[in-house]
mmCIF file with all atom_site columns, all heavy atoms in Angstrom:
data_model
loop_
_atom_site.group_PDB
_atom_site.id
_atom_site.type_symbol
_atom_site.label_atom_id
_atom_site.label_alt_id
_atom_site.label_comp_id
_atom_site.label_asym_id
_atom_site.label_entity_id
_atom_site.label_seq_id
_atom_site.pdbx_PDB_ins_code
_atom_site.Cartn_x
_atom_site.Cartn_y
_atom_site.Cartn_z
_atom_site.occupancy
_atom_site.B_iso_or_equiv
_atom_site.pdbx_formal_charge
_atom_site.auth_seq_id
_atom_site.auth_comp_id
_atom_site.auth_asym_id
_atom_site.auth_atom_id
_atom_site.pdbx_PDB_model_num
ATOM 1   N N   . LEU Y 1 1  ? 3.719   -1.808  -19.393 1.00 0.00 ? 7  LEU Y N   1
ATOM 2   C CA  . LEU Y 1 1  ? 3.837   -2.317  -18.031 1.00 0.00 ? 7  LEU Y CA  1
ATOM 3   C C   . LEU Y 1 1  ? 2.579   -2.984  -17.675 1.00 0.00 ? 7  LEU Y C   1
ATOM 4   O O   . LEU Y 1 1  ? 1.502   -2.440  -17.825 1.00 0.00 ? 7  LEU Y O   1
ATOM 5   C CB  . LEU Y 1 1  ? 4.211   -1.250  -17.015 1.00 0.00 ? 7  LEU Y CB  1
ATOM 6   C CG  . LEU Y 1 1  ? 4.460   -1.723  -15.575 1.00 0.00 ? 7  LEU Y CG  1
ATOM 7   C CD1 . LEU Y 1 1  ? 5.576   -2.677  -15.496 1.00 0.00 ? 7  LEU Y CD1 1
ATOM 8   C CD2 . LEU Y 1 1  ? 4.634   -0.496  -14.709 1.00 0.00 ? 7  LEU Y CD2 1
ATOM 9   N N   . ASP Y 1 2  ? 2.700   -4.162  -17.069 1.00 0.00 ? 8  ASP Y N   1
ATOM 10  C CA  . ASP Y 1 2  ? 1.586   -4.895  -16.410 1.00 0.00 ? 8  ASP Y CA  1
ATOM 11  C C   . ASP Y 1 2  ? 1.970   -5.332  -15.063 1.00 0.00 ? 8  ASP Y C   1
ATOM 12  O O   . ASP Y 1 2  ? 2.947   -5.896  -14.834 1.00 0.00 ? 8  ASP Y O   1
ATOM 13  C CB  . ASP Y 1 2  ? 1.297   -6.200  -17.354 1.00 0.00 ? 8  ASP Y CB  1
ATOM 14  C CG  . ASP Y 1 2  ? -0.005  -6.882  -16.951 1.00 0.00 ? 8  ASP Y CG  1
ATOM 15  O OD1 . ASP Y 1 2  ? -0.811  -6.204  -16.408 1.00 0.00 ? 8  ASP Y OD1 1
ATOM 16  O OD2 . ASP Y 1 2  ? -0.028  -8.078  -17.220 1.00 0.00 ? 8  ASP Y OD2 1
ATOM 17  N N   . LEU Y 1 3  ? 1.160   -4.839  -14.004 1.00 0.00 ? 9  LEU Y N   1
ATOM 18  C CA  . LEU Y 1 3  ? 1.270   -5.220  -12.785 1.00 0.00 ? 9  LEU Y CA  1
ATOM 19  C C   . LEU Y 1 3  ? 0.072   -5.970  -12.175 1.00 0.00 ? 9  LEU Y C   1
ATOM 20  O O   . LEU Y 1 3  ? -1.069  -5.408  -12.195 1.00 0.00 ? 9  LEU Y O   1
ATOM 21  C CB  . LEU Y 1 3  ? 1.351   -3.942  -11.831 1.00 0.00 ? 9  LEU Y CB  1
ATOM 22  C CG  . LEU Y 1 3  ? 2.633   -3.146  -12.172 1.00 0.00 ? 9  LEU Y CG  1
ATOM 23  C CD1 . LEU Y 1 3  ? 2.646   -1.859  -11.323 1.00 0.00 ? 9  LEU Y CD1 1
ATOM 24  C CD2 . LEU Y 1 3  ? 3.928   -3.890  -11.998 1.00 0.00 ? 9  LEU Y CD2 1
ATOM 25  N N   . ASP Y 1 4  ? 0.225   -7.287  -11.924 1.00 0.00 ? 10 ASP Y N   1
ATOM 26  C CA  . ASP Y 1 4  ? -0.921  -8.050  -11.441 1.00 0.00 ? 10 ASP Y CA  1
ATOM 27  C C   . ASP Y 1 4  ? -0.718  -8.531  -9.933  1.00 0.00 ? 10 ASP Y C   1
ATOM 28  O O   . ASP Y 1 4  ? 0.343   -8.969  -9.680  1.00 0.00 ? 10 ASP Y O   1
ATOM 29  C CB  . ASP Y 1 4  ? -0.955  -9.324  -12.281 1.00 0.00 ? 10 ASP Y CB  1
ATOM 30  C CG  . ASP Y 1 4  ? -1.393  -9.041  -13.693 1.00 0.00 ? 10 ASP Y CG  1
ATOM 31  O OD1 . ASP Y 1 4  ? -2.171  -8.117  -13.970 1.00 0.00 ? 10 ASP Y OD1 1
ATOM 32  O OD2 . ASP Y 1 4  ? -0.989  -9.860  -14.628 1.00 0.00 ? 10 ASP Y OD2 1
ATOM 33  N N   . LEU Y 1 5  ? -1.771  -8.257  -9.286  1.00 0.00 ? 11 LEU Y N   1
ATOM 34  C CA  . LEU Y 1 5  ? -1.811  -8.687  -7.910  1.00 0.00 ? 11 LEU Y CA  1
ATOM 35  C C   . LEU Y 1 5  ? -2.046  -10.135 -7.902  1.00 0.00 ? 11 LEU Y C   1
ATOM 36  O O   . LEU Y 1 5  ? -3.156  -10.657 -8.211  1.00 0.00 ? 11 LEU Y O   1
ATOM 37  C CB  . LEU Y 1 5  ? -2.881  -8.012  -7.112  1.00 0.00 ? 11 LEU Y CB  1
ATOM 38  C CG  . LEU Y 1 5  ? -2.960  -8.285  -5.528  1.00 0.00 ? 11 LEU Y CG  1
ATOM 39  C CD1 . LEU Y 1 5  ? -1.622  -8.175  -4.788  1.00 0.00 ? 11 LEU Y CD1 1
ATOM 40  C CD2 . LEU Y 1 5  ? -4.067  -7.426  -4.841  1.00 0.00 ? 11 LEU Y CD2 1
ATOM 41  N N   . LEU Y 1 6  ? -1.127  -10.977 -7.433  1.00 0.00 ? 12 LEU Y N   1
ATOM 42  C CA  . LEU Y 1 6  ? -1.189  -12.439 -7.621  1.00 0.00 ? 12 LEU Y CA  1
ATOM 43  C C   . LEU Y 1 6  ? -1.822  -12.971 -6.354  1.00 0.00 ? 12 LEU Y C   1
ATOM 44  O O   . LEU Y 1 6  ? -2.685  -13.784 -6.480  1.00 0.00 ? 12 LEU Y O   1
ATOM 45  C CB  . LEU Y 1 6  ? 0.222   -13.006 -7.717  1.00 0.00 ? 12 LEU Y CB  1
ATOM 46  C CG  . LEU Y 1 6  ? 1.019   -12.691 -9.038  1.00 0.00 ? 12 LEU Y CG  1
ATOM 47  C CD1 . LEU Y 1 6  ? 2.454   -13.301 -8.973  1.00 0.00 ? 12 LEU Y CD1 1
ATOM 48  C CD2 . LEU Y 1 6  ? 0.300   -13.141 -10.264 1.00 0.00 ? 12 LEU Y CD2 1
ATOM 49  N N   . LEU Y 1 7  ? -1.207  -12.632 -5.239  1.00 0.00 ? 13 LEU Y N   1
ATOM 50  C CA  . LEU Y 1 7  ? -1.633  -13.227 -3.950  1.00 0.00 ? 13 LEU Y CA  1
ATOM 51  C C   . LEU Y 1 7  ? -1.512  -12.076 -2.868  1.00 0.00 ? 13 LEU Y C   1
ATOM 52  O O   . LEU Y 1 7  ? -0.716  -11.341 -2.947  1.00 0.00 ? 13 LEU Y O   1
ATOM 53  C CB  . LEU Y 1 7  ? -0.664  -14.375 -3.515  1.00 0.00 ? 13 LEU Y CB  1
ATOM 54  C CG  . LEU Y 1 7  ? -0.581  -15.540 -4.373  1.00 0.00 ? 13 LEU Y CG  1
ATOM 55  C CD1 . LEU Y 1 7  ? 0.675   -16.409 -3.973  1.00 0.00 ? 13 LEU Y CD1 1
ATOM 56  C CD2 . LEU Y 1 7  ? -1.883  -16.416 -4.238  1.00 0.00 ? 13 LEU Y CD2 1
ATOM 57  N N   . TYR Y 1 8  ? -2.588  -12.169 -2.075  1.00 0.00 ? 14 TYR Y N   1
ATOM 58  C CA  . TYR Y 1 8  ? -2.697  -11.194 -0.859  1.00 0.00 ? 14 TYR Y CA  1
ATOM 59  C C   . TYR Y 1 8  ? -2.954  -12.190 0.301   1.00 0.00 ? 14 TYR Y C   1
ATOM 60  O O   . TYR Y 1 8  ? -4.002  -12.681 0.500   1.00 0.00 ? 14 TYR Y O   1
ATOM 61  C CB  . TYR Y 1 8  ? -3.789  -10.273 -1.043  1.00 0.00 ? 14 TYR Y CB  1
ATOM 62  C CG  . TYR Y 1 8  ? -3.882  -9.197  0.025   1.00 0.00 ? 14 TYR Y CG  1
ATOM 63  C CD1 . TYR Y 1 8  ? -3.193  -7.972  -0.218  1.00 0.00 ? 14 TYR Y CD1 1
ATOM 64  C CD2 . TYR Y 1 8  ? -4.466  -9.458  1.214   1.00 0.00 ? 14 TYR Y CD2 1
ATOM 65  C CE1 . TYR Y 1 8  ? -3.384  -7.043  0.698   1.00 0.00 ? 14 TYR Y CE1 1
ATOM 66  C CE2 . TYR Y 1 8  ? -4.575  -8.406  2.183   1.00 0.00 ? 14 TYR Y CE2 1
ATOM 67  C CZ  . TYR Y 1 8  ? -3.975  -7.240  2.015   1.00 0.00 ? 14 TYR Y CZ  1
ATOM 68  O OH  . TYR Y 1 8  ? -4.058  -6.318  2.844   1.00 0.00 ? 14 TYR Y OH  1
ATOM 69  N N   . ALA Y 1 9  ? -1.976  -12.375 1.052   1.00 0.00 ? 15 ALA Y N   1
ATOM 70  C CA  . ALA Y 1 9  ? -1.947  -13.298 2.264   1.00 0.00 ? 15 ALA Y CA  1
ATOM 71  C C   . ALA Y 1 9  ? -2.477  -14.706 1.565   1.00 0.00 ? 15 ALA Y C   1
ATOM 72  O O   . ALA Y 1 9  ? -2.160  -15.043 0.567   1.00 0.00 ? 15 ALA Y O   1
ATOM 73  C CB  . ALA Y 1 9  ? -2.803  -12.750 3.300   1.00 0.00 ? 15 ALA Y CB  1
ATOM 74  N N   . ASP Y 1 10 ? -3.425  -15.296 2.378   1.00 0.00 ? 16 ASP Y N   1
ATOM 75  C CA  . ASP Y 1 10 ? -4.078  -16.395 1.777   1.00 0.00 ? 16 ASP Y CA  1
ATOM 76  C C   . ASP Y 1 10 ? -5.499  -16.274 1.417   1.00 0.00 ? 16 ASP Y C   1
ATOM 77  O O   . ASP Y 1 10 ? -6.343  -17.213 1.322   1.00 0.00 ? 16 ASP Y O   1
ATOM 78  C CB  . ASP Y 1 10 ? -4.076  -17.545 2.876   1.00 0.00 ? 16 ASP Y CB  1
ATOM 79  C CG  . ASP Y 1 10 ? -4.721  -17.275 4.118   1.00 0.00 ? 16 ASP Y CG  1
ATOM 80  O OD1 . ASP Y 1 10 ? -5.308  -16.198 4.238   1.00 0.00 ? 16 ASP Y OD1 1
ATOM 81  O OD2 . ASP Y 1 10 ? -4.730  -18.258 5.057   1.00 0.00 ? 16 ASP Y OD2 1
ATOM 82  N N   . LEU Y 1 11 ? -5.827  -14.960 1.096   1.00 0.00 ? 17 LEU Y N   1
ATOM 83  C CA  . LEU Y 1 11 ? -6.979  -14.536 0.761   1.00 0.00 ? 17 LEU Y CA  1
ATOM 84  C C   . LEU Y 1 11 ? -7.557  -15.083 -0.478  1.00 0.00 ? 17 LEU Y C   1
ATOM 85  O O   . LEU Y 1 11 ? -6.800  -15.125 -1.621  1.00 0.00 ? 17 LEU Y O   1
ATOM 86  C CB  . LEU Y 1 11 ? -7.233  -13.021 0.565   1.00 0.00 ? 17 LEU Y CB  1
ATOM 87  C CG  . LEU Y 1 11 ? -8.585  -12.386 0.323   1.00 0.00 ? 17 LEU Y CG  1
ATOM 88  C CD1 . LEU Y 1 11 ? -9.524  -12.577 1.429   1.00 0.00 ? 17 LEU Y CD1 1
ATOM 89  C CD2 . LEU Y 1 11 ? -8.328  -10.866 0.033   1.00 0.00 ? 17 LEU Y CD2 1
ATOM 90  N N   . GLN Y 1 12 ? -8.929  -15.614 -0.481  1.00 0.00 ? 18 GLN Y N   1
ATOM 91  C CA  . GLN Y 1 12 ? -9.533  -16.040 -1.826  1.00 0.00 ? 18 GLN Y CA  1
ATOM 92  C C   . GLN Y 1 12 ? -10.606 -15.076 -1.902  1.00 0.00 ? 18 GLN Y C   1
ATOM 93  O O   . GLN Y 1 12 ? -11.416 -14.965 -0.963  1.00 0.00 ? 18 GLN Y O   1
ATOM 94  C CB  . GLN Y 1 12 ? -9.951  -17.433 -1.754  1.00 0.00 ? 18 GLN Y CB  1
ATOM 95  C CG  . GLN Y 1 12 ? -8.677  -18.436 -1.621  1.00 0.00 ? 18 GLN Y CG  1
ATOM 96  C CD  . GLN Y 1 12 ? -9.181  -19.904 -1.684  1.00 0.00 ? 18 GLN Y CD  1
ATOM 97  O OE1 . GLN Y 1 12 ? -9.750  -20.291 -2.631  1.00 0.00 ? 18 GLN Y OE1 1
ATOM 98  N NE2 . GLN Y 1 12 ? -8.968  -20.668 -0.676  1.00 0.00 ? 18 GLN Y NE2 1
ATOM 99  N N   . CYS Y 1 13 ? -10.716 -14.514 -3.180  1.00 0.00 ? 19 CYS Y N   1
ATOM 100 C CA  . CYS Y 1 13 ? -11.697 -13.401 -3.346  1.00 0.00 ? 19 CYS Y CA  1
ATOM 101 C C   . CYS Y 1 13 ? -12.213 -13.457 -4.901  1.00 0.00 ? 19 CYS Y C   1
ATOM 102 O O   . CYS Y 1 13 ? -11.375 -13.517 -5.719  1.00 0.00 ? 19 CYS Y O   1
ATOM 103 C CB  . CYS Y 1 13 ? -11.068 -11.999 -3.059  1.00 0.00 ? 19 CYS Y CB  1
ATOM 104 S SG  . CYS Y 1 13 ? -11.956 -10.615 -3.585  1.00 0.00 ? 19 CYS Y SG  1
ATOM 105 N N   . LEU Y 1 14 ? -13.431 -13.340 -5.087  1.00 0.00 ? 20 LEU Y N   1
ATOM 106 C CA  . LEU Y 1 14 ? -14.124 -13.332 -6.425  1.00 0.00 ? 20 LEU Y CA  1
ATOM 107 C C   . LEU Y 1 14 ? -15.066 -12.184 -6.426  1.00 0.00 ? 20 LEU Y C   1
ATOM 108 O O   . LEU Y 1 14 ? -16.169 -12.378 -6.069  1.00 0.00 ? 20 LEU Y O   1
ATOM 109 C CB  . LEU Y 1 14 ? -14.632 -14.610 -6.721  1.00 0.00 ? 20 LEU Y CB  1
ATOM 110 C CG  . LEU Y 1 14 ? -15.278 -14.703 -8.249  1.00 0.00 ? 20 LEU Y CG  1
ATOM 111 C CD1 . LEU Y 1 14 ? -14.117 -14.293 -9.241  1.00 0.00 ? 20 LEU Y CD1 1
ATOM 112 C CD2 . LEU Y 1 14 ? -15.656 -16.102 -8.485  1.00 0.00 ? 20 LEU Y CD2 1
ATOM 113 N N   . LYS Y 1 15 ? -14.591 -11.030 -6.643  1.00 0.00 ? 21 LYS Y N   1
ATOM 114 C CA  . LYS Y 1 15 ? -15.511 -9.798  -6.591  1.00 0.00 ? 21 LYS Y CA  1
ATOM 115 C C   . LYS Y 1 15 ? -15.045 -8.959  -7.962  1.00 0.00 ? 21 LYS Y C   1
ATOM 116 O O   . LYS Y 1 15 ? -14.136 -9.274  -8.558  1.00 0.00 ? 21 LYS Y O   1
ATOM 117 C CB  . LYS Y 1 15 ? -15.127 -8.852  -5.562  1.00 0.00 ? 21 LYS Y CB  1
ATOM 118 C CG  . LYS Y 1 15 ? -15.465 -9.428  -4.245  1.00 0.00 ? 21 LYS Y CG  1
ATOM 119 C CD  . LYS Y 1 15 ? -15.100 -8.527  -3.094  1.00 0.00 ? 21 LYS Y CD  1
ATOM 120 C CE  . LYS Y 1 15 ? -15.475 -8.947  -1.658  1.00 0.00 ? 21 LYS Y CE  1
ATOM 121 N NZ  . LYS Y 1 15 ? -15.168 -8.135  -0.682  1.00 0.00 ? 21 LYS Y NZ  1
ATOM 122 N N   . PRO Y 1 16 ? -16.181 -8.310  -8.419  1.00 0.00 ? 22 PRO Y N   1
ATOM 123 C CA  . PRO Y 1 16 ? -15.922 -7.601  -9.742  1.00 0.00 ? 22 PRO Y CA  1
ATOM 124 C C   . PRO Y 1 16 ? -14.635 -6.657  -9.518  1.00 0.00 ? 22 PRO Y C   1
ATOM 125 O O   . PRO Y 1 16 ? -14.397 -5.969  -8.578  1.00 0.00 ? 22 PRO Y O   1
ATOM 126 C CB  . PRO Y 1 16 ? -17.070 -6.562  -9.782  1.00 0.00 ? 22 PRO Y CB  1
ATOM 127 C CG  . PRO Y 1 16 ? -18.292 -7.313  -9.028  1.00 0.00 ? 22 PRO Y CG  1
ATOM 128 C CD  . PRO Y 1 16 ? -17.486 -8.041  -7.984  1.00 0.00 ? 22 PRO Y CD  1
ATOM 129 N N   . GLY Y 1 17 ? -13.750 -6.875  -10.593 1.00 0.00 ? 23 GLY Y N   1
ATOM 130 C CA  . GLY Y 1 17 ? -12.459 -6.053  -10.502 1.00 0.00 ? 23 GLY Y CA  1
ATOM 131 C C   . GLY Y 1 17 ? -11.335 -6.729  -9.626  1.00 0.00 ? 23 GLY Y C   1
ATOM 132 O O   . GLY Y 1 17 ? -10.211 -6.226  -9.736  1.00 0.00 ? 23 GLY Y O   1
ATOM 133 N N   . LEU Y 1 18 ? -11.635 -7.764  -8.830  1.00 0.00 ? 24 LEU Y N   1
ATOM 134 C CA  . LEU Y 1 18 ? -10.557 -8.413  -8.019  1.00 0.00 ? 24 LEU Y CA  1
ATOM 135 C C   . LEU Y 1 18 ? -10.863 -9.843  -7.728  1.00 0.00 ? 24 LEU Y C   1
ATOM 136 O O   . LEU Y 1 18 ? -11.815 -10.122 -7.165  1.00 0.00 ? 24 LEU Y O   1
ATOM 137 C CB  . LEU Y 1 18 ? -10.527 -7.717  -6.643  1.00 0.00 ? 24 LEU Y CB  1
ATOM 138 C CG  . LEU Y 1 18 ? -9.467  -8.173  -5.744  1.00 0.00 ? 24 LEU Y CG  1
ATOM 139 C CD1 . LEU Y 1 18 ? -7.991  -8.021  -6.285  1.00 0.00 ? 24 LEU Y CD1 1
ATOM 140 C CD2 . LEU Y 1 18 ? -9.533  -7.487  -4.279  1.00 0.00 ? 24 LEU Y CD2 1
ATOM 141 N N   . THR Y 1 19 ? -9.978  -10.665 -8.413  1.00 0.00 ? 25 THR Y N   1
ATOM 142 C CA  . THR Y 1 19 ? -10.056 -12.044 -8.170  1.00 0.00 ? 25 THR Y CA  1
ATOM 143 C C   . THR Y 1 19 ? -8.586  -12.434 -7.592  1.00 0.00 ? 25 THR Y C   1
ATOM 144 O O   . THR Y 1 19 ? -7.537  -12.148 -8.129  1.00 0.00 ? 25 THR Y O   1
ATOM 145 C CB  . THR Y 1 19 ? -10.120 -12.798 -9.536  1.00 0.00 ? 25 THR Y CB  1
ATOM 146 O OG1 . THR Y 1 19 ? -11.343 -12.372 -10.061 1.00 0.00 ? 25 THR Y OG1 1
ATOM 147 C CG2 . THR Y 1 19 ? -10.207 -14.309 -9.278  1.00 0.00 ? 25 THR Y CG2 1
ATOM 148 N N   . LEU Y 1 20 ? -8.647  -13.192 -6.484  1.00 0.00 ? 26 LEU Y N   1
ATOM 149 C CA  . LEU Y 1 20 ? -7.436  -13.698 -5.731  1.00 0.00 ? 26 LEU Y CA  1
ATOM 150 C C   . LEU Y 1 20 ? -7.710  -15.082 -5.347  1.00 0.00 ? 26 LEU Y C   1
ATOM 151 O O   . LEU Y 1 20 ? -8.791  -15.396 -4.917  1.00 0.00 ? 26 LEU Y O   1
ATOM 152 C CB  . LEU Y 1 20 ? -7.100  -12.842 -4.471  1.00 0.00 ? 26 LEU Y CB  1
ATOM 153 C CG  . LEU Y 1 20 ? -6.555  -11.378 -4.746  1.00 0.00 ? 26 LEU Y CG  1
ATOM 154 C CD1 . LEU Y 1 20 ? -6.673  -10.640 -3.450  1.00 0.00 ? 26 LEU Y CD1 1
ATOM 155 C CD2 . LEU Y 1 20 ? -5.357  -11.444 -5.270  1.00 0.00 ? 26 LEU Y CD2 1
ATOM 156 N N   . PRO Y 1 21 ? -6.710  -15.953 -5.577  1.00 0.00 ? 27 PRO Y N   1
ATOM 157 C CA  . PRO Y 1 21 ? -5.501  -15.666 -6.311  1.00 0.00 ? 27 PRO Y CA  1
ATOM 158 C C   . PRO Y 1 21 ? -5.771  -15.159 -7.745  1.00 0.00 ? 27 PRO Y C   1
ATOM 159 O O   . PRO Y 1 21 ? -6.948  -15.470 -8.286  1.00 0.00 ? 27 PRO Y O   1
ATOM 160 C CB  . PRO Y 1 21 ? -4.676  -16.990 -6.261  1.00 0.00 ? 27 PRO Y CB  1
ATOM 161 C CG  . PRO Y 1 21 ? -5.415  -17.934 -5.385  1.00 0.00 ? 27 PRO Y CG  1
ATOM 162 C CD  . PRO Y 1 21 ? -6.896  -17.307 -5.163  1.00 0.00 ? 27 PRO Y CD  1
ATOM 163 N N   . HIS Y 1 22 ? -4.757  -14.604 -8.373  1.00 0.00 ? 28 HIS Y N   1
ATOM 164 C CA  . HIS Y 1 22 ? -4.987  -14.087 -9.760  1.00 0.00 ? 28 HIS Y CA  1
ATOM 165 C C   . HIS Y 1 22 ? -5.361  -15.316 -10.686 1.00 0.00 ? 28 HIS Y C   1
ATOM 166 O O   . HIS Y 1 22 ? -4.691  -16.369 -10.549 1.00 0.00 ? 28 HIS Y O   1
ATOM 167 C CB  . HIS Y 1 22 ? -3.704  -13.542 -10.218 1.00 0.00 ? 28 HIS Y CB  1
ATOM 168 C CG  . HIS Y 1 22 ? -3.895  -12.725 -11.576 1.00 0.00 ? 28 HIS Y CG  1
ATOM 169 N ND1 . HIS Y 1 22 ? -3.858  -13.451 -12.808 1.00 0.00 ? 28 HIS Y ND1 1
ATOM 170 C CD2 . HIS Y 1 22 ? -4.067  -11.480 -11.883 1.00 0.00 ? 28 HIS Y CD2 1
ATOM 171 C CE1 . HIS Y 1 22 ? -4.026  -12.568 -13.697 1.00 0.00 ? 28 HIS Y CE1 1
ATOM 172 N NE2 . HIS Y 1 22 ? -4.198  -11.284 -13.223 1.00 0.00 ? 28 HIS Y NE2 1
ATOM 173 N N   . PRO Y 1 23 ? -6.336  -15.187 -11.341 1.00 0.00 ? 29 PRO Y N   1
ATOM 174 C CA  . PRO Y 1 23 ? -6.763  -16.237 -12.301 1.00 0.00 ? 29 PRO Y CA  1
ATOM 175 C C   . PRO Y 1 23 ? -5.710  -16.657 -13.311 1.00 0.00 ? 29 PRO Y C   1
ATOM 176 O O   . PRO Y 1 23 ? -4.911  -15.834 -13.763 1.00 0.00 ? 29 PRO Y O   1
ATOM 177 C CB  . PRO Y 1 23 ? -8.095  -15.747 -13.016 1.00 0.00 ? 29 PRO Y CB  1
ATOM 178 C CG  . PRO Y 1 23 ? -8.048  -14.402 -12.959 1.00 0.00 ? 29 PRO Y CG  1
ATOM 179 C CD  . PRO Y 1 23 ? -7.182  -13.994 -11.666 1.00 0.00 ? 29 PRO Y CD  1
ATOM 180 N N   . ARG Y 1 24 ? -5.598  -17.889 -13.495 1.00 0.00 ? 30 ARG Y N   1
ATOM 181 C CA  . ARG Y 1 24 ? -4.513  -18.429 -14.488 1.00 0.00 ? 30 ARG Y CA  1
ATOM 182 C C   . ARG Y 1 24 ? -3.142  -18.401 -14.078 1.00 0.00 ? 30 ARG Y C   1
ATOM 183 O O   . ARG Y 1 24 ? -2.314  -18.867 -14.661 1.00 0.00 ? 30 ARG Y O   1
ATOM 184 C CB  . ARG Y 1 24 ? -4.761  -17.935 -15.848 1.00 0.00 ? 30 ARG Y CB  1
ATOM 185 C CG  . ARG Y 1 24 ? -6.079  -18.245 -16.522 1.00 0.00 ? 30 ARG Y CG  1
ATOM 186 C CD  . ARG Y 1 24 ? -6.400  -17.457 -17.864 1.00 0.00 ? 30 ARG Y CD  1
ATOM 187 N NE  . ARG Y 1 24 ? -6.100  -16.113 -17.797 1.00 0.00 ? 30 ARG Y NE  1
ATOM 188 C CZ  . ARG Y 1 24 ? -6.975  -15.100 -17.172 1.00 0.00 ? 30 ARG Y CZ  1
ATOM 189 N NH1 . ARG Y 1 24 ? -8.031  -15.602 -16.616 1.00 0.00 ? 30 ARG Y NH1 1
ATOM 190 N NH2 . ARG Y 1 24 ? -6.556  -13.823 -17.267 1.00 0.00 ? 30 ARG Y NH2 1
ATOM 191 N N   . MET Y 1 25 ? -2.844  -17.799 -12.874 1.00 0.00 ? 31 MET Y N   1
ATOM 192 C CA  . MET Y 1 25 ? -1.381  -17.647 -12.491 1.00 0.00 ? 31 MET Y CA  1
ATOM 193 C C   . MET Y 1 25 ? -0.752  -19.166 -12.263 1.00 0.00 ? 31 MET Y C   1
ATOM 194 O O   . MET Y 1 25 ? 0.439   -19.221 -12.560 1.00 0.00 ? 31 MET Y O   1
ATOM 195 C CB  . MET Y 1 25 ? -1.236  -16.840 -11.175 1.00 0.00 ? 31 MET Y CB  1
ATOM 196 C CG  . MET Y 1 25 ? -1.655  -17.479 -9.911  1.00 0.00 ? 31 MET Y CG  1
ATOM 197 S SD  . MET Y 1 25 ? -1.349  -16.628 -8.361  1.00 0.00 ? 31 MET Y SD  1
ATOM 198 C CE  . MET Y 1 25 ? 0.345   -16.950 -8.103  1.00 0.00 ? 31 MET Y CE  1
ATOM 199 N N   . HIS Y 1 26 ? -1.600  -20.068 -11.880 1.00 0.00 ? 32 HIS Y N   1
ATOM 200 C CA  . HIS Y 1 26 ? -1.235  -21.422 -11.635 1.00 0.00 ? 32 HIS Y CA  1
ATOM 201 C C   . HIS Y 1 26 ? -0.949  -22.101 -12.965 1.00 0.00 ? 32 HIS Y C   1
ATOM 202 O O   . HIS Y 1 26 ? -0.327  -23.292 -12.870 1.00 0.00 ? 32 HIS Y O   1
ATOM 203 C CB  . HIS Y 1 26 ? -2.233  -22.109 -10.799 1.00 0.00 ? 32 HIS Y CB  1
ATOM 204 C CG  . HIS Y 1 26 ? -3.530  -22.204 -11.533 1.00 0.00 ? 32 HIS Y CG  1
ATOM 205 N ND1 . HIS Y 1 26 ? -4.372  -21.223 -11.636 1.00 0.00 ? 32 HIS Y ND1 1
ATOM 206 C CD2 . HIS Y 1 26 ? -4.149  -23.293 -12.182 1.00 0.00 ? 32 HIS Y CD2 1
ATOM 207 C CE1 . HIS Y 1 26 ? -5.439  -21.520 -12.273 1.00 0.00 ? 32 HIS Y CE1 1
ATOM 208 N NE2 . HIS Y 1 26 ? -5.229  -22.907 -12.612 1.00 0.00 ? 32 HIS Y NE2 1
ATOM 209 N N   . GLN Y 1 27 ? -1.175  -21.556 -14.176 1.00 0.00 ? 33 GLN Y N   1
ATOM 210 C CA  . GLN Y 1 27 ? -0.928  -22.116 -15.424 1.00 0.00 ? 33 GLN Y CA  1
ATOM 211 C C   . GLN Y 1 27 ? 0.165   -21.444 -16.152 1.00 0.00 ? 33 GLN Y C   1
ATOM 212 O O   . GLN Y 1 27 ? 0.361   -21.753 -17.381 1.00 0.00 ? 33 GLN Y O   1
ATOM 213 C CB  . GLN Y 1 27 ? -2.163  -22.109 -16.262 1.00 0.00 ? 33 GLN Y CB  1
ATOM 214 C CG  . GLN Y 1 27 ? -3.313  -22.961 -15.505 1.00 0.00 ? 33 GLN Y CG  1
ATOM 215 C CD  . GLN Y 1 27 ? -4.588  -22.694 -16.344 1.00 0.00 ? 33 GLN Y CD  1
ATOM 216 O OE1 . GLN Y 1 27 ? -4.908  -21.505 -16.777 1.00 0.00 ? 33 GLN Y OE1 1
ATOM 217 N NE2 . GLN Y 1 27 ? -5.455  -23.570 -16.261 1.00 0.00 ? 33 GLN Y NE2 1
ATOM 218 N N   . ARG Y 1 28 ? 0.901   -20.472 -15.586 1.00 0.00 ? 34 ARG Y N   1
ATOM 219 C CA  . ARG Y 1 28 ? 1.763   -19.644 -16.368 1.00 0.00 ? 34 ARG Y CA  1
ATOM 220 C C   . ARG Y 1 28 ? 3.217   -19.766 -15.657 1.00 0.00 ? 34 ARG Y C   1
ATOM 221 O O   . ARG Y 1 28 ? 3.447   -19.206 -14.581 1.00 0.00 ? 34 ARG Y O   1
ATOM 222 C CB  . ARG Y 1 28 ? 1.247   -18.220 -16.260 1.00 0.00 ? 34 ARG Y CB  1
ATOM 223 C CG  . ARG Y 1 28 ? -0.021  -18.065 -16.978 1.00 0.00 ? 34 ARG Y CG  1
ATOM 224 C CD  . ARG Y 1 28 ? -0.530  -16.743 -16.945 1.00 0.00 ? 34 ARG Y CD  1
ATOM 225 N NE  . ARG Y 1 28 ? -1.706  -16.551 -17.829 1.00 0.00 ? 34 ARG Y NE  1
ATOM 226 C CZ  . ARG Y 1 28 ? -2.360  -15.441 -17.798 1.00 0.00 ? 34 ARG Y CZ  1
ATOM 227 N NH1 . ARG Y 1 28 ? -2.266  -14.444 -17.024 1.00 0.00 ? 34 ARG Y NH1 1
ATOM 228 N NH2 . ARG Y 1 28 ? -3.395  -15.422 -18.687 1.00 0.00 ? 34 ARG Y NH2 1
#
């Protein structure tokens, strides 16, 4: 099982352990 947090509201975040939107989701 893989559960990826893709989007959280319109938040853009680049912190250790959490990148939003999920990286590469726009290419999959």
Side-chain angles (χ1 to χ4, degrees):
L7 183 61
D8 188 24
L9 298 175
D10 290 331
L11 180 54
L12 299 173
L13 298 166
Y14 184 98
D16 59 357
L17 182 66
Q18 294 185 60
C19 173
L20 183 55
K21 293 183 180 177
L24 180 64
T25 301
L26 291 169
H28 189 279
R30 299 172 308 283
M31 71 174 281
H32 62 283
Q33 301 169 327
R34 296 176 169 172

